[in-house]
Amino acid sequence: MLRNRRRRGAWLLAAVVLVVVLVLYDADRTGVGDPKAAPSATPSATLPGTAAPAPTTAAPSPSATPSPPAPPGTGGPSPSASACTSHGACGYPDANSTGPRIALERHDTGNMSVKKDGTVIKGWDIRGSLDIYANDVTIIDSRITSTNWWGVNLRPGFSGLKVLHTTITAVPGKGPDNGGVNYAVSNMGGSSIEVGWCDISVFGNALSMGQGNLHDNYVHDLVAFRNQGGEWQHIDAVISGGGNKGRLTIRHNTLLNSTPVDKGATAAVGLFADTGVVSSVVVEDNWLAGGAYALYGGGPGATGIQVTGNVFSTQYHPASGAYGPVTAWNAGGAGNVWKDNRMSDGRPVEPAS
């Protein structure tokens, strides 16, 4: 009898021990009661075909310093991945991607007139300027150092001018406009011209035209001067006076205007209705910096103005231009498009309403 009681007690004790072991095993397997088994704050890799976990947003620290307000015409902060540190680092034209690609031969041309259709000027280091009275002239892989009103000028009635892979500059203080020089490339003709991969500096209104294809150029170091009227000359990397009959395309250029506002700085791109309504202009994927405003958008009546994918750099002013990134934008104009423009620090840019 005593032996049977001891045997039943042993079996009962064994059963209790087994239950305790099973409970402890289950708790260890599921992580219950173990603070180290709480879900990690660091997301793990997501397997193909599964949804990623929603990110956890931490509450802001009470001691955090609030961000400064955005400059006029810009939105709030955006991710730093959208930021660009400089035009060269972000794939825009610079001294390494523009200008002549071959050795040059010096030509002291003075103020030279070109009058033969189809003329090609290649590999020239020109001390002077070119006045074009001919069709289908090409200037390529050259350098022009001017003391005239312009570096290259297309006269009315002629067409087909191309200026490619050329450096166009001037001698400050030696120009005819009270020591200043005005136009690196001027289109007085009635048709489009092409200016591409050019390194342009010094001139007050560097690229001046109502129609043309301006692409992959580096415009920089424009020089302020008082004109013959005794006033500070208006300074623009690209300028159009309106009234154009053809299209003006400004695509993938670096357009810098570091001139102080009190010495004539106007814009990186100035679309002005000086001689007529501004129409049919594409401003796409450019690096814009400086001026009173980096972009003048054509003003009242402007139509067909497409401004897309541009970077408004803060390298001279926090708002790109001294007073903001853009002004004179006609939001209600037929065919006017403003899309995907941003500051170099990633903030979106929208015209003032």
Side-chain angles (χ1 to χ4, degrees):
M1 181 72 69
L2 179 61
R3 182 179 300 174
N4 289 337
R5 289 177 180 173
R6 288 177 178 174
R7 185 176 297 171
R8 284 197 298 271
W11 281 110
L12 181 61
L13 179 61
V16 171
V17 170
L18 179 62
V19 170
V20 170
V21 168
L22 289 175
V23 170
L24 291 175
Y25 171 78
D26 187 63
D28 180 70
R29 183 174 61 85
T30 58
V32 175
D34 184 357
K36 293 181 181 179
S40 170
T42 303
S44 60
T46 304
L47 296 175
T50 64
T56 301
T57 303
S61 169
S63 61
T65 302
S67 299
T74 66
S78 81
S80 59
S82 300
C84 270
T85 56
S86 68
H87 56 274
C90 295
Y92 288 94
D94 60 12
N96 296 317
S97 60
T98 56
R101 302 162 293 179
I102 61 176
L104 305 181
E105 179 183 352
R106 180 161 173 166
H107 288 260
D108 293 317
T109 64
N111 301 328
M112 175 180 169
S113 294
V114 178
K115 297 184 177 180
K116 182 180 179 180
D117 288 353
T119 296
V120 176
I121 295 174
K122 183 176 182 179
W124 286 25
D125 184 357
I126 295 170
R127 308 304 167 94
S129 62
L130 299 175
D131 207 2
I132 312 300
Y133 294 86
N135 297 310
D136 303 319
V137 172
T138 298
I139 303 158
I140 188 169
D141 287 315
S142 296
R143 178 183 176 91
I144 298 169
T145 304
S146 175
T147 56
N148 198 5
W149 293 91
W150 55 78
V152 181
N153 181 45
L154 179 66
R155 289 288 178 170
F158 300 96
S159 63
L161 174 66
K162 294 182 179 181
V163 186
L164 309 173
H165 295 287
T166 294
T167 294
I168 308 172
T169 189
V171 181
K174 299 294 184 181
D177 195 359
N178 196 33
V181 287
N182 295 75
Y183 313 110
V185 181
S186 171
N187 182 9
M188 299 174 66
S191 65
S192 181
I193 70 174
E194 181 183 1
V195 183
W197 304 285
C198 290
D199 184 327
I200 298 169
S201 60
V202 180
F203 293 88
N205 287 314
L207 296 171
S208 174
M209 61 197 69
Q211 48 263 331
N213 180 12
L214 311 178
H215 63 88
D216 302 289
N217 300 292
Y218 176 40
V219 181
H220 60 102
D221 294 308
L222 305 180
V223 175
F225 64 94
R226 291 187 183 274
N227 57 30
Q228 291 180 346
E231 300 174 341
W232 287 106
Q233 176 67 26
H234 286 235
I235 305 294
D236 304 90
V238 175
I239 185 170
S240 177
N244 52 299
K245 297 179 180 179
R247 178 179 292 275
L248 175 61
T249 299
I250 307 166
R251 179 176 287 122
H252 198 249
N253 304 277
T254 298
L255 304 173
L256 309 180
N257 186 350
S258 60
T259 310
V261 173
D262 61 356
K263 293 187 177 179
T266 308
V269 174
L271 307 178
F272 304 112
D274 293 337
T275 57
V277 173
V278 180
S279 64
S280 192
V281 180
V282 173
V283 183
E284 179 182 3
D285 188 27
N286 300 280
W287 180 277
L288 309 175
Y293 290 89
L295 172 68
Y296 281 75
T303 59
I305 314 299
Q306 301 175 32
V307 182
T308 60
N310 298 281
V311 178
F312 289 79
S313 169
T314 61
Q315 65 194 89
Y316 303 129
H317 307 287
S320 191
Y323 305 130
V326 56
T327 190
W329 175 252
N330 180 19
N336 291 350
V337 176
W338 184 278
K339 184 179 178 182
D340 297 334
N341 301 293
R342 69 185 192 278
M343 301 293 287
S344 54
D345 60 12
R347 290 169 293 152
V349 175
E350 294 294 340
S353 56

